[in-house]
mmCIF file of all heavy atoms in Angstrom:
data_model
loop_
_atom_site.group_PDB
_atom_site.id
_atom_site.type_symbol
_atom_site.label_atom_id
_atom_site.label_comp_id
_atom_site.label_asym_id
_atom_site.label_seq_id
_atom_site.Cartn_x
_atom_site.Cartn_y
_atom_site.Cartn_z
ATOM 1 N N ALA H 1 -87.972 259.824 82.059
ATOM 2 C CA ALA H 1 -88.601 258.870 82.946
ATOM 3 C C ALA H 1 -87.569 258.408 83.990
ATOM 4 O O ALA H 1 -86.371 258.251 83.707
ATOM 5 C CB ALA H 1 -89.095 257.658 82.153
ATOM 6 N N PRO H 2 -87.998 258.152 85.229
ATOM 7 C CA PRO H 2 -87.095 257.703 86.240
ATOM 8 C C PRO H 2 -86.530 256.310 85.901
ATOM 9 O O PRO H 2 -87.223 255.480 85.307
ATOM 10 C CB PRO H 2 -87.956 257.638 87.502
ATOM 11 C CG PRO H 2 -89.364 257.737 87.045
ATOM 12 C CD PRO H 2 -89.353 258.325 85.711
ATOM 13 N N VAL H 3 -85.285 256.119 86.263
ATOM 14 C CA VAL H 3 -84.618 254.843 86.000
ATOM 15 C C VAL H 3 -85.089 253.821 87.032
ATOM 16 O O VAL H 3 -85.219 254.124 88.215
ATOM 17 C CB VAL H 3 -83.070 255.030 86.106
ATOM 18 C CG1 VAL H 3 -82.342 253.717 85.889
ATOM 19 C CG2 VAL H 3 -82.608 256.065 85.129
ATOM 20 N N GLU H 4 -85.363 252.620 86.557
ATOM 21 C CA GLU H 4 -85.761 251.543 87.449
ATOM 22 C C GLU H 4 -84.652 251.236 88.432
ATOM 23 O O GLU H 4 -83.462 251.368 88.152
ATOM 24 C CB GLU H 4 -86.120 250.274 86.643
ATOM 25 C CG GLU H 4 -87.383 250.444 85.785
ATOM 26 C CD GLU H 4 -88.638 250.599 86.619
ATOM 27 O OE1 GLU H 4 -88.759 249.972 87.682
ATOM 28 O OE2 GLU H 4 -89.487 251.374 86.211
ATOM 29 N N ALA H 5 -84.987 250.736 89.595
ATOM 30 C CA ALA H 5 -83.985 250.457 90.631
ATOM 31 C C ALA H 5 -82.961 249.402 90.167
ATOM 32 O O ALA H 5 -81.778 249.601 90.481
ATOM 33 C CB ALA H 5 -84.737 249.971 91.905
ATOM 34 N N ASP H 6 -83.375 248.362 89.478
ATOM 35 C CA ASP H 6 -82.426 247.351 89.023
ATOM 36 C C ASP H 6 -81.431 247.936 88.028
ATOM 37 O O ASP H 6 -80.250 247.632 88.062
ATOM 38 C CB ASP H 6 -83.143 246.138 88.372
ATOM 39 C CG ASP H 6 -84.000 245.398 89.420
ATOM 40 O OD1 ASP H 6 -83.698 245.530 90.606
ATOM 41 O OD2 ASP H 6 -84.909 244.678 88.978
ATOM 42 N N GLU H 7 -81.927 248.795 87.122
ATOM 43 C CA GLU H 7 -81.084 249.397 86.120
ATOM 44 C C GLU H 7 -80.094 250.375 86.801
ATOM 45 O O GLU H 7 -78.956 250.447 86.418
ATOM 46 C CB GLU H 7 -81.923 250.186 85.105
ATOM 47 C CG GLU H 7 -82.789 249.336 84.233
ATOM 48 C CD GLU H 7 -83.712 250.184 83.363
ATOM 49 O OE1 GLU H 7 -83.399 251.366 83.118
ATOM 50 O OE2 GLU H 7 -84.749 249.660 82.908
ATOM 51 N N ALA H 8 -80.565 251.075 87.802
ATOM 52 C CA ALA H 8 -79.711 252.046 88.462
ATOM 53 C C ALA H 8 -78.556 251.358 89.201
ATOM 54 O O ALA H 8 -77.399 251.850 89.211
ATOM 55 C CB ALA H 8 -80.500 252.854 89.482
ATOM 56 N N GLU H 9 -78.821 250.189 89.772
ATOM 57 C CA GLU H 9 -77.720 249.485 90.484
ATOM 58 C C GLU H 9 -76.676 248.962 89.482
ATOM 59 O O GLU H 9 -75.534 248.939 89.786
ATOM 60 C CB GLU H 9 -78.326 248.306 91.274
ATOM 61 C CG GLU H 9 -79.070 248.787 92.500
ATOM 62 C CD GLU H 9 -79.727 247.634 93.233
ATOM 63 O OE1 GLU H 9 -79.360 246.453 92.986
ATOM 64 O OE2 GLU H 9 -80.598 247.895 94.083
ATOM 65 N N ASP H 10 -77.140 248.517 88.293
ATOM 66 C CA ASP H 10 -76.194 248.022 87.275
ATOM 67 C C ASP H 10 -75.305 249.146 86.761
ATOM 68 O O ASP H 10 -74.107 248.884 86.484
ATOM 69 C CB ASP H 10 -76.975 247.406 86.105
ATOM 70 C CG ASP H 10 -77.656 246.121 86.531
ATOM 71 O OD1 ASP H 10 -77.350 245.573 87.600
ATOM 72 O OD2 ASP H 10 -78.594 245.693 85.773
ATOM 73 N N GLU H 11 -75.822 250.338 86.669
ATOM 74 C CA GLU H 11 -75.021 251.416 86.106
ATOM 75 C C GLU H 11 -74.042 252.045 87.102
ATOM 76 O O GLU H 11 -72.981 252.507 86.709
ATOM 77 C CB GLU H 11 -75.956 252.506 85.610
ATOM 78 C CG GLU H 11 -76.786 252.115 84.416
ATOM 79 C CD GLU H 11 -77.799 253.160 84.034
ATOM 80 O OE1 GLU H 11 -77.713 254.323 84.479
ATOM 81 O OE2 GLU H 11 -78.710 252.810 83.207
ATOM 82 N N ARG H 12 -74.331 252.013 88.346
ATOM 83 C CA ARG H 12 -73.438 252.613 89.361
ATOM 84 C C ARG H 12 -72.355 251.616 89.789
ATOM 85 O O ARG H 12 -72.656 250.414 89.986
ATOM 86 C CB ARG H 12 -74.219 253.002 90.637
ATOM 87 C CG ARG H 12 -75.013 254.254 90.488
ATOM 88 C CD ARG H 12 -75.584 254.691 91.789
ATOM 89 N NE ARG H 12 -76.422 253.631 92.306
ATOM 90 C CZ ARG H 12 -76.922 253.599 93.549
ATOM 91 N NH1 ARG H 12 -76.726 254.578 94.309
ATOM 92 N NH2 ARG H 12 -77.674 252.600 93.961
ATOM 93 N N PRO H 13 -71.141 252.067 89.948
ATOM 94 C CA PRO H 13 -70.077 251.172 90.410
ATOM 95 C C PRO H 13 -70.283 250.799 91.883
ATOM 96 O O PRO H 13 -70.732 251.682 92.661
ATOM 97 C CB PRO H 13 -68.793 251.976 90.203
ATOM 98 C CG PRO H 13 -69.206 253.421 90.096
ATOM 99 C CD PRO H 13 -70.636 253.433 89.629
ATOM 100 N N ASN H 14 -70.037 249.594 92.199
ATOM 101 C CA ASN H 14 -70.212 249.172 93.588
ATOM 102 C C ASN H 14 -68.905 249.485 94.357
ATOM 103 O O ASN H 14 -67.817 248.966 94.007
ATOM 104 C CB ASN H 14 -70.473 247.642 93.604
ATOM 105 C CG ASN H 14 -70.734 247.118 94.988
ATOM 106 O OD1 ASN H 14 -70.504 247.798 95.960
ATOM 107 N ND2 ASN H 14 -71.276 245.901 95.007
ATOM 108 N N PRO H 15 -68.954 250.270 95.427
ATOM 109 C CA PRO H 15 -67.729 250.659 96.119
ATOM 110 C C PRO H 15 -67.110 249.414 96.804
ATOM 111 O O PRO H 15 -65.898 249.429 97.078
ATOM 112 C CB PRO H 15 -68.213 251.642 97.137
ATOM 113 C CG PRO H 15 -69.670 251.443 97.269
ATOM 114 C CD PRO H 15 -70.139 250.896 95.970
ATOM 115 N N PHE H 16 -67.820 248.370 97.075
ATOM 116 C CA PHE H 16 -67.274 247.199 97.722
ATOM 117 C C PHE H 16 -66.641 246.212 96.757
ATOM 118 O O PHE H 16 -66.006 245.239 97.128
ATOM 119 C CB PHE H 16 -68.339 246.512 98.584
ATOM 120 C CG PHE H 16 -68.840 247.439 99.658
ATOM 121 C CD1 PHE H 16 -70.111 248.005 99.569
ATOM 122 C CD2 PHE H 16 -68.063 247.719 100.792
ATOM 123 C CE1 PHE H 16 -70.539 248.829 100.550
ATOM 124 C CE2 PHE H 16 -68.504 248.552 101.736
ATOM 125 C CZ PHE H 16 -69.791 249.120 101.643
ATOM 126 N N ALA H 17 -66.903 246.463 95.419
ATOM 127 C CA ALA H 17 -66.348 245.533 94.401
ATOM 128 C C ALA H 17 -64.795 245.556 94.474
ATOM 129 O O ALA H 17 -64.161 244.505 94.312
ATOM 130 C CB ALA H 17 -66.839 245.935 93.046
ATOM 131 N N VAL H 18 -64.194 246.704 94.673
ATOM 132 C CA VAL H 18 -62.766 246.805 94.732
ATOM 133 C C VAL H 18 -62.214 246.038 95.951
ATOM 134 O O VAL H 18 -61.222 245.320 95.852
ATOM 135 C CB VAL H 18 -62.299 248.292 94.807
ATOM 136 C CG1 VAL H 18 -60.798 248.431 95.028
ATOM 137 C CG2 VAL H 18 -62.723 249.039 93.538
ATOM 138 N N LEU H 19 -62.903 246.148 97.079
ATOM 139 C CA LEU H 19 -62.506 245.420 98.260
ATOM 140 C C LEU H 19 -62.634 243.899 98.054
ATOM 141 O O LEU H 19 -61.781 243.131 98.504
ATOM 142 C CB LEU H 19 -63.319 245.871 99.469
ATOM 143 C CG LEU H 19 -63.114 247.277 99.936
ATOM 144 C CD1 LEU H 19 -64.077 247.628 101.051
ATOM 145 C CD2 LEU H 19 -61.685 247.478 100.433
ATOM 146 N N GLN H 20 -63.676 243.470 97.380
ATOM 147 C CA GLN H 20 -63.892 242.079 97.125
ATOM 148 C C GLN H 20 -62.773 241.527 96.235
ATOM 149 O O GLN H 20 -62.253 240.436 96.471
ATOM 150 C CB GLN H 20 -65.248 241.827 96.392
ATOM 151 C CG GLN H 20 -65.600 240.410 96.207
ATOM 152 C CD GLN H 20 -65.719 239.643 97.536
ATOM 153 O OE1 GLN H 20 -66.276 240.113 98.501
ATOM 154 N NE2 GLN H 20 -65.196 238.449 97.638
ATOM 155 N N LYS H 21 -62.326 242.323 95.245
ATOM 156 C CA LYS H 21 -61.182 241.849 94.366
ATOM 157 C C LYS H 21 -59.918 241.695 95.212
ATOM 158 O O LYS H 21 -59.172 240.754 95.017
ATOM 159 C CB LYS H 21 -60.962 242.897 93.246
ATOM 160 C CG LYS H 21 -62.009 242.813 92.155
ATOM 161 C CD LYS H 21 -61.625 243.828 91.073
ATOM 162 C CE LYS H 21 -62.733 243.878 90.017
ATOM 163 N NZ LYS H 21 -62.405 244.887 88.999
ATOM 164 N N LEU H 22 -59.645 242.652 96.100
ATOM 165 C CA LEU H 22 -58.481 242.560 96.962
ATOM 166 C C LEU H 22 -58.532 241.327 97.858
ATOM 167 O O LEU H 22 -57.555 240.647 98.052
ATOM 168 C CB LEU H 22 -58.296 243.831 97.814
ATOM 169 C CG LEU H 22 -57.909 245.120 97.044
ATOM 170 C CD1 LEU H 22 -57.948 246.291 97.973
ATOM 171 C CD2 LEU H 22 -56.528 244.931 96.409
ATOM 172 N N LYS H 23 -59.719 241.078 98.384
ATOM 173 C CA LYS H 23 -59.899 239.916 99.269
ATOM 174 C C LYS H 23 -59.709 238.618 98.512
ATOM 175 O O LYS H 23 -59.065 237.651 98.993
ATOM 176 C CB LYS H 23 -61.270 239.962 99.879
ATOM 177 C CG LYS H 23 -61.524 238.867 100.888
ATOM 178 C CD LYS H 23 -62.878 239.011 101.519
ATOM 179 C CE LYS H 23 -63.131 237.876 102.479
ATOM 180 N NZ LYS H 23 -64.415 237.869 103.047
ATOM 181 N N ASP H 24 -60.229 238.549 97.259
ATOM 182 C CA ASP H 24 -60.088 237.349 96.430
ATOM 183 C C ASP H 24 -58.625 237.117 96.038
ATOM 184 O O ASP H 24 -58.193 235.978 95.898
ATOM 185 C CB ASP H 24 -60.927 237.444 95.175
ATOM 186 C CG ASP H 24 -62.418 237.407 95.484
ATOM 187 O OD1 ASP H 24 -62.788 236.966 96.592
ATOM 188 O OD2 ASP H 24 -63.241 237.807 94.599
#
């Protein structure tokens, strides 16, 4: 069955998360 959109976003790493950590 196809993965729901919300579940798919939780499983994939966010490429901007690393940048946000550096900024913080």
